[in-house]
Amino acid sequence: ESQLDFDSLDARAGLVNVFRDLGDLSVWARYGYTRLADTSGDELFTDHGIEVGVFKPFPLHRDHFLYLGWLSDFSLEGDPEYARRDEHSLVTGYRYTPVDRVDISLYYRFAVLDYQSSSRTDLNHDTGLAIDFRVNDHATLRASVSYQLNDSDLAGADYENLGAGGALGLLIRF
């Protein structure tokens, strides 16, 4: 077991509006909660935030498209205080649907991480691949792998990370 082993919980809830007359431009706002704990369950970090963003697809064919998006995540309350940050990111990617119910996405994300309790600023690069399987209209299973490179102006805060995981998503439409 490594000191870098931890459990992560992320929950999001919000509203999305798709503007069909603007080429399916999506705009959203949502509340987000993050909790990191060590493998024994002791809490390492929690955060509550408000996220806002815009997403624009560029169709290439019926089965695939390119996309561009922007997201800002404003931390409202976090513990420990020194780890709180606002995050502003641009993302671009490619999505392909080889068969009904399966989507494959390749993406690149550039983010500026602005820490609230100090003058620290990190530049974060994230490249990844995700495969989604839509179980039905409300549930999706995801497998993903990603590589992150972080460049910080704080000595010793640069890092590289290779991660893989899975997720179950639930979509409620009203």
Side-chain angles (χ1 to χ4, degrees):
E1 182 173 314
S2 164
Q3 288 180 313
L4 297 177
D5 288 345
F6 62 89
D7 295 323
S8 176
L9 170 69
D10 288 295
R12 306 279 181 263
L15 299 174
V16 177
N17 191 25
V18 179
F19 296 93
R20 299 286 181 209
D21 56 337
L22 296 176
D24 291 337
L25 177 78
S26 300
V27 179
W28 71 86
R30 60 188 175 201
Y31 162 80
Y33 172 76
T34 299
R35 178 183 185 269
L36 301 177
D38 64 20
T39 54
S40 65
D42 293 331
E43 202 167 84
L44 301 171
F45 175 73
T46 60
D47 188 52
H48 301 267
I50 296 294
E51 302 171 5
V52 293
V54 176
F55 175 87
K56 174 70 173 109
F58 299 94
L60 301 172
H61 187 268
R62 186 177 70 89
D63 296 335
H64 57 114
F65 62 91
L66 297 171
Y67 60 87
L68 183 63
W70 161 74
L71 171 73
S72 283
D73 182 355
F74 300 95
S75 177
L76 302 175
E77 178 184 337
D79 183 40
E81 180 71 26
Y82 68 82
R84 285 183 59 199
R85 66 183 187 212
D86 295 332
E87 182 176 317
H88 310 284
S89 60
L90 290 171
V91 64
T92 187
Y94 171 76
R95 186 164 200 155
Y96 174 57
T97 305
V99 295
D100 192 36
R101 302 174 114 188
V102 175
D103 293 314
I104 301 170
S105 298
L106 179 64
Y107 67 89
Y108 169 75
R109 179 180 145 274
F110 172 75
V112 176
L113 311 176
D114 182 18
Y115 286 79
Q116 295 180 4
S117 64
S118 70
S119 61
R120 176 182 173 184
T121 302
D122 290 10
L123 303 179
N124 188 268
H125 304 270
D126 186 3
T127 303
L129 172 69
I131 300 174
D132 292 341
F133 174 71
R134 287 184 304 284
V135 177
N136 57 39
D137 288 342
H138 304 287
T140 301
L141 293 172
R142 170 175 279 192
S144 64
V145 61
S146 67
Y147 170 75
Q148 291 181 331
L149 175 65
N150 194 70
D151 180 21
S152 179
D153 60 7
L154 178 67
D158 294 347
Y159 64 84
E160 293 181 70
N161 179 52
L162 179 63
L168 172 63
L170 178 66
L171 174 65
I172 301 172
R173 296 180 184 174
F174 55 94

